[in-house]
Amino acid sequence: EGREEGREEGREEGREEGLSALRRGVLAVLAARGLAVSAEDEAQVLAERSVATLERWLASAAIAGTAHDALAR
């Protein structure tokens, strides 16, 4: 039982680290491109829990004209 709990905790920690890295990546790409990120857009990125959404935003951040547009895709 303890071993399984440890595995589950490890999986959850890994998931959180992955989400955090994706969030930082989205914001970093937007910043590197010189796109202004509103407090609302930043809060949206930091609150997102879907890996698929964050990956989509990361790709969009590389080509979108504005931060808002990147997060609307």
Side-chain angles (χ1 to χ4, degrees):
E1 184 177 313
R3 181 180 277 178
E4 185 58 34
E5 286 177 18
R7 284 191 192 126
E8 184 59 35
E9 286 176 19
R11 280 191 284 269
E12 183 59 28
E13 285 178 17
R15 176 172 164 71
E16 288 301 319
E17 288 175 11
L19 286 168
S20 180
L22 281 169
R23 290 180 189 120
R24 287 191 314 268
V26 170
L27 296 173
V29 169
L30 293 170
R33 294 195 55 228
L35 300 178
V37 179
S38 70
E40 181 180 310
D41 288 340
E42 182 177 12
Q44 182 180 1
V45 171
L46 295 176
E48 184 56 53
R49 308 266 318 141
S50 166
V51 170
T53 298
L54 288 164
E55 288 175 340
R56 186 175 69 249
W57 288 350
L58 184 58
S60 293
I63 60 172
T66 67
H68 186 75
D69 286 347
L71 302 182
R73 297 174 187 231

